[in-house]
Amino acid sequence: MANMSEFELTSFAGQNVIVTGAASGIGKAAAELIASRGAKIFALDLNQAGLAATKAGIEKAGIEKDGGQIVTKVLDISSQDAINAVIAEILNEAGQIHALANSAGIAGPTSTNTEEINWNDFHKTLTINLFGSIWLTQALLPSMRTNKYGRIVHLASIAGKEGNPGMSPYNTSKAGLIGYVKGVAKEVATSGITINAIAPAVIRTPINETVTPEIQKYMVSRIPVGRLGEPNEVAEVIAFAASKACSFTTGFTFDVSGGRATY
Ligand SMILES: NC(=O)c1ccc[n+]([C@@H]2O[C@H](COP(=O)([O-])OP(=O)(O)OC[C@H]3O[C@@H](n4cnc5c(N)ncnc54)[C@H](O)[C@@H]3O)[C@@H](O)[C@H]2O)c1
């Protein structure tokens, strides 16, 4: 008789899933949820102490009893060499990487007109948010093609669709990511691989600590639901897009904006 889990398309039993940005906010919530659905999580982040807290939380919740496990590794996604090394290391350890939830990212300069932004700050935001996502995708695709299976999920933002004033590097990085996902999806469409983006509006996480109260007020005022989103509300959409269930949706940008964007 077939194992029931074969029919549970949102189960991650037996899967190895990389979550970047897993030390905080949306990535942390995604790691917890996907672990609770049975995955072995490879949690990657710059922040070692945050990774340790995520691991302790998952272990304390007893998720390991249900098959979920968590391994942490420090990674700076602004280094292509570091990305290639960590992906090779995980493939060596785990054999297969079934899915990536890429939530590492920075806000970059805020409340700053574009002509006042120095090139280093612009470049840094693009390197982490856009090039880091591209390098991760490039590092993962060869083994996913060989395995004829893969799920790639990148955190974009409503800012990539609509643009937030005073945040031109961030807007540019997220719009670039949305475009990148659309084209790559078509390249891998017959390889069992789906690649999608997620576009949240403002979510209650530490990334918004650098955003002034006025800008936060502006962002919430644009959300018909009338409040900030919570990390677990984004994690649910990430978990779907990273699961076997997401087999006929690719190149898409999932909206998690409380009704701000209806496209
Ligand atoms: N919170 C929001 O309002 C919101 C809205 C839309 C999109 N997003 C996107 O969602 C993603 C997660 O954001 P969050 O709100 O959870 O932020 P967060 O600050 O809580 O978490 C981001 C994580 O990324 C890590 N990180 C930063 N630079 C890194 C690097 N170079 N290498 C590895 N790790 C790095 C940080 O250490 C942190 O743990 C980001 O891509 C963000 O742009 C967030």
Side-chain angles (χ1 to χ4, degrees), residues 21-27 44-47 75-78 102-106 128-129 155-158 170 174 200-208:
S24 178
I26 294 169
L44 312 180
D45 204 291
L46 262 184
N47 175 351
L75 171 70
D76 180 350
I77 70 161
S78 68
N102 176 30
S103 190
I106 60 169
I128 294 172
N129 292 359
L155 266 293
S157 170
I158 188 82
Y170 188 76
K174 299 301 188 178
V202 63
I203 307 298
R204 194 192 311 276
T205 76
I207 207 171
N208 293 308

